[in-house]
Amino acid sequence: MNSLDLFKMAFNNLWRKKTRTFLTVLGVIIGTTSIVVMISLGIAIDTEFKKSMGEMGDLTVIEVNADGYMYRDESDSRDKKDVKLDDTAIATFKKIDGVEAVTPEKRMHMRIGVGKYIADMRVIGIDPSVMKDFGLEVEEGRLLAPGDKTVLVFGKDTLEFFRNPRVRNEEEPPTVDVLGNKLILTSDRYFGERNAKPPSDYKAPKHYAAKGVGILKEGGRNGYRAYMSIEEMLKIEEEDEKTKKDSSNRRRDRDENKYETIKVKVKDVESVESVETVIKNIGYETFSLTDMVNNMKETTQKIGLILGGIGGISLLVAAIGITNTMIMSIYERTREIGVMKVIGAKLSDIKKLFLIEAGMIGLTGGLAGLTFSYLVSFGLNKLAGGMMGGGPDTKISVISIELALGALVFSFIIGVVAGYLPARRAMNLSALKAIKNE
């Protein structure tokens, strides 16, 4: 018997017992739907977490700090390595394989004045030549350029920080043109305040004439910061230290670590872990969003296994149903099996016939279950997504292509495996006894 004949016979046998076949397929549908929807919840958790991490920053950026510890041997004691965040460290990081760009960072809380408006914000000193490498893009104007003096690039959200100190309880932030007006940059916290009364021993830091050259595109934390050349920031910090009574202490701290942090841009996400390992072995502490993603990935994998196991119970019940259906079919078709053997049907063909029937039940239930899973996923994303307050792109159920194909293959395999023992039973039936069976 050729394969086409076997498929026709299998289909006709299942069609003759439509009700029983439908109930068996229904069990597979429920099982497939359960396991697909459950796993899709875990995938959605992982997807949304990666999305939120991407909004927080670049997954290929490593932040390096000096407070690192390193084991020098396998004993329990730990020695703190004498490492500094300075130009030597930058040169060392640039030589590591997989590193694309390196920049030091310095942070200062500054006050910026534009006409009658003032704003307090964090200003980040950065190497202007690598801003593009670190994913900073402007919506208006330009980025910093080497040689810029007191020049600023603003995060888009910083424009909402401006206020008129002469107006109380402003309902909305004023519209301030930071690119078309002269700016005043200072760490003087009393600058621009109406009726400000600084302490008698307070010496105001120097005020600097500055200009804005660009506004960054929206994107995570960068929207709440302003950027300037780190060399210029170090000069401003030096001048500010001269006006403070504890300048000697501050100077000593600065000599230990010239920079507050160093950021390392890696070529791809796959190289982040290896580059972090090298930097840690030198003695530095590192942090990257990839660390959080990896930790979350382990958590979501565990959640996926638990949810998949819950759905798998339903599919196991469906497999038992397929086995029961095939065994009942053998009892009802014992005489038919005997006739097939007498007229010369191969034992392997009889076995294939029952395996094909079981596989058709599994595959049909898998297809229908996958279709129903998409409907359930769509409903969850529409209803539950809105109830949770998420945006239109927020999803709590994601059915990936891999999950869909895996569900179909798995349901087919479950059907074949569930039908294997009944198929062997049919193959091993005595032809004479089978014919005599009433």
Side-chain angles (χ1 to χ4, degrees):
M1 299 175 66
N2 58 43
S3 298
L4 182 59
D5 290 333
L6 289 174
F7 274 100
K8 288 181 178 179
M9 288 183 64
F11 178 79
N12 290 332
N13 289 333
L14 293 175
W15 189 254
R16 283 204 307 265
K17 303 291 183 180
K18 291 186 287 292
T19 302
R20 187 167 64 192
T21 300
F22 171 75
L23 293 175
T24 307
V25 170
L26 182 61
V28 180
I29 292 174
I30 295 172
T32 302
T33 303
S34 299
I35 196 170
V36 170
V37 172
M38 289 293 185
I39 294 177
S40 74
L41 298 178
I43 294 175
I45 294 173
D46 186 52
T47 301
E48 289 298 319
F49 181 78
K50 288 181 179 179
K51 180 181 176 182
S52 63
M53 286 296 100
E55 292 173 352
M56 288 177 60
D58 193 339
L59 296 177
T60 60
V61 173
I62 301 172
E63 185 175 300
V64 183
N65 299 300
D67 298 326
Y69 289 87
M70 177 183 173
Y71 284 98
R72 293 186 177 180
D73 52 38
E74 296 181 355
S75 65
D76 293 332
S77 62
R78 291 195 302 177
D79 296 325
K80 185 175 181 179
K81 297 197 71 177
D82 183 19
V83 293
K84 298 179 181 179
L85 296 178
D86 53 18
D87 295 327
T88 301
I90 292 175
T92 301
F93 299 156
K94 286 182 178 179
K95 295 177 182 178
I96 300 175
D97 290 338
V99 172
E100 191 174 75
V102 180
T103 182
E105 276 197 1
K106 196 77 178 178
R107 306 180 185 95
M108 290 185 69
H109 287 279
M110 307 288 283
R111 175 161 289 188
I112 298 172
V114 184
K116 61 183 179 181
Y117 302 108
I118 59 173
D120 295 302
M121 65 185 69
R122 175 175 286 189
V123 180
I124 308 295
I126 192 173
D127 181 357
S129 64
V130 297
M131 290 187 76
K132 286 186 178 179
D133 295 320
F134 281 84
L136 296 173
E137 299 179 356
V138 290
E139 184 176 283
E140 186 178 351
R142 66 172 176 85
L143 293 173
L144 299 175
D148 280 340
K149 300 298 182 182
T150 47
V151 173
L152 295 166
V153 172
F154 292 88
K156 193 168 185 180
D157 295 306
T158 61
L159 302 182
E160 299 181 0
F161 295 170
F162 284 93
R163 59 186 174 85
N164 186 345
R166 294 173 176 78
V167 177
R168 294 183 178 180
N169 301 323
E170 290 178 305
E171 294 183 359
E172 294 183 1
T175 301
V176 179
D177 183 7
V178 294
L179 303 184
N181 292 299
K182 294 181 179 180
L183 311 179
I184 299 296
L185 177 68
T186 181
S187 59
D188 180 7
R189 63 182 182 274
Y190 295 104
F191 169 73
E193 292 290 353
R194 186 181 183 184
N195 301 323
K197 294 180 179 180
S200 58
D201 60 346
Y202 179 75
K203 187 175 181 181
K206 187 176 179 180
H207 299 174
Y208 298 88
K211 66 176 181 178
V213 295
I215 298 175
L216 296 175
K217 292 182 179 179
E218 293 185 11
R221 295 180 297 173
N222 294 328
Y224 299 92
R225 301 169 171 179
Y227 289 86
M228 69 179 298
S229 167
I230 191 167
E231 293 300 325
E232 290 301 309
M233 177 171 283
L234 291 173
K235 293 177 182 178
I236 292 175
E237 184 185 51
E238 187 74 23
E239 288 294 325
D240 286 353
E241 286 176 350
K242 293 178 181 179
T243 67
K244 298 174 182 177
K245 292 180 179 180
D246 58 343
S247 61
S248 59
N249 293 333
R250 291 177 176 272
R251 180 61 180 268
R252 183 164 57 252
D253 290 340
R254 182 183 167 188
D255 287 342
E256 291 177 358
N257 285 301
K258 182 178 181 181
Y259 309 115
E260 291 180 3
T261 186
I262 295 176
K263 286 194 172 181
V264 178
K265 171 72 174 180
V266 183
K267 292 180 180 179
D268 50 59
V269 176
E270 290 72 21
S271 303
V272 170
E273 187 174 352
S274 61
V275 173
E276 275 195 281
T277 300
V278 173
I279 296 174
K280 287 178 179 178
N281 288 339
I282 297 173
Y284 294 92
E285 275 190 354
T286 65
F287 170 78
S288 69
L289 293 176
T290 305
D291 296 334
M292 297 179 65
V293 171
N294 290 337
N295 291 335
M296 186 62 186
K297 186 180 293 184
E298 293 179 4
T299 303
T300 54
Q301 285 176 347
K302 292 177 182 178
I303 293 174
L305 288 174
I306 294 172
L307 295 176
I310 295 172
I313 294 174
S314 300
L315 204 55
L316 176 62
V317 173
I320 295 173
I322 294 174
T323 302
N324 180 66
T325 297
M326 299 311 299
I327 290 175
M328 291 299 298
S329 179
I330 291 171
Y331 282 126
E332 293 174 353
R333 294 157 56 190
T334 301
R335 186 178 182 84
E336 177 185 334
I337 294 170
V339 172
M340 291 175 63
K341 287 186 174 183
V342 170
I343 63 176
K346 296 180 180 179
L347 296 179
S348 60
D349 287 338
I350 296 174
K351 181 180 179 181
K352 286 180 183 179
L353 176 63
F354 283 89
L355 289 177
I356 290 173
E357 290 181 19
M360 289 176 70
I361 292 174
L363 185 59
T364 302
L367 283 169
L370 181 60
T371 302
F372 192 63
S373 298
Y374 275 109
L375 294 175
V376 172
S377 178
F378 178 79
L380 288 174
N381 291 329
K382 282 293 182 181
L383 298 177
M387 292 173 61
M388 293 173 62
D393 295 332
T394 302
K395 297 185 183 299
I396 64 171
S397 173
V398 175
I399 301 177
S400 63
I401 297 297
E402 294 80 5
L403 176 58
L405 294 177
L408 290 178
V409 173
F410 189 59
S411 61
F412 175 74
I413 292 175
I414 286 293
V416 173
V417 171
Y420 181 75
L421 291 179
R424 281 186 60 84
R425 181 184 179 87
M427 182 181 69
N428 293 328
L429 279 176
S430 168
L432 184 59
K433 291 182 179 179
I435 292 174
K436 292 181 178 179
N437 185 69
E438 292 295 337

